[in-house]
Amino acid sequence: MPTPPEPAPAPPGAAPATGRERAKARRRAELLRAAAALFAERGFAGVSIDDVGAAAGVSGPAVYRHFPSKQAVLGAVLLEVSTDLLERARAVAAATADPAARLAALVAFQVDFALEHPAVIVVQDRELPHLAEEDRRAVRALQRGYVSLWVDALGELAPGRNPADLTLRAQAVFGLINSTPHSLRAARRLRAPQDAGSAARAALEEMARAALRTALAPGPDPFPAPTVPGGTP
């Protein structure tokens, strides 16, 4: 999952975080990373609190200093990653006013995220039903916010399209990109390990762009091939 950011500076008038508080935040982040990897590998039902603690180098009971239950651990994993994903995607989308460039940037962002965090992709896809109802609603709301960034960009490029149709197509592209755990395994069989990530990235971006073109046809291609000197594509 995404590496947790450094704690934000304390607001004016607030006491700065103590060393103990920083250590507690780091331990919590370590537990969430360990839990995400275990949930992806074994499934939620196949992981115990003791397993999470052991993977993070602490005892099982020590996990309860941070989370009241295994379900709360799963909730924190998915809530934090969904929040981080949406906040970073908003920054990506806000960086350009051009909808085609924005859509291309969102594709690259999602591919990078999926390649960097395949365990989280698996957990998001498979373990949502195990969340507490309140956490599940919150994660769904964050996911809808993320989808809306893509639909907004698509809608500017294809204003005649039904938003429901654009939502369906955006979600289909997420499914394509989020095949990353499988894509990486295939790429590693075909290429040297150091080349597998770049090969998977290029393939996923190309396929995602091709899929999105179908939502925008017969309009202009938002992802034209680069042109080399002399005008030959």
Side-chain angles (χ1 to χ4, degrees), residues 37 50 149 158:
D50 286 342
L149 296 173

Side-chain angles (χ1 to χ4, degrees), residues 3-230:
T3 302
E6 290 296 318
T18 65
R20 183 175 181 179
E21 289 168 340
R22 289 193 295 270
K24 183 176 181 180
R26 284 194 297 270
R27 176 63 70 190
R28 184 179 186 276
E30 290 165 359
L31 289 167
L32 291 179
R33 282 194 293 270
L38 289 171
F39 291 150
E41 179 184 357
R42 305 181 194 173
F44 178 75
V47 176
S48 69
I49 283 288
D50 286 342
D51 294 331
V52 173
V58 300
S59 67
V63 180
Y64 290 110
R65 298 174 191 163
H66 302 270
F67 306 99
S69 66
K70 184 176 73 166
Q71 189 180 48
V73 175
L74 177 64
V77 168
L78 292 182
L79 279 168
E80 291 195 10
V81 76
S82 298
T83 299
D84 179 68
L85 190 67
L86 177 57
E87 289 178 351
R88 290 200 284 148
R90 281 174 173 163
V92 168
T96 177
D98 178 67
R102 193 184 324 143
L103 188 60
L106 287 169
V107 168
F109 169 75
Q110 177 65 25
V111 169
D112 284 343
F113 176 85
L115 285 169
E116 291 167 9
H117 311 292
V120 172
I121 295 296
V122 172
V123 176
Q124 283 181 321
D125 182 57
R126 192 174 63 196
E127 306 300 346
L128 203 64
H130 294 292
L131 287 177
E133 182 59 31
E134 182 179 356
D135 286 346
R136 185 160 53 248
R137 286 198 300 268
V139 169
R140 288 296 195 196
L142 291 164
Q143 291 176 336
R144 287 194 295 272
Y146 183 72
V147 173
S148 72
L149 296 173
W150 289 63
V151 173
D152 289 346
L154 285 166
E156 289 187 57
L157 293 166
R161 286 275 191 176
N162 186 314
D165 177 65
L166 296 179
T167 298
L168 175 64
R169 291 170 184 272
Q171 290 173 330
V173 171
F174 299 154
L176 186 158
I177 295 173
N178 292 347
S179 67
T180 299
H182 312 290
S183 305
L184 279 175
R185 283 195 290 270
R188 285 171 182 146
R189 287 195 297 269
L190 297 171
R191 295 175 179 266
Q194 63 269 24
D195 297 330
S198 59
R201 177 177 285 103
L204 288 170
E205 286 198 28
E206 180 184 358
M207 290 187 293
R209 291 179 176 203
L212 289 169
R213 285 186 183 99
T214 68
L216 307 174
D221 185 351
F223 309 119
T227 302
V228 299

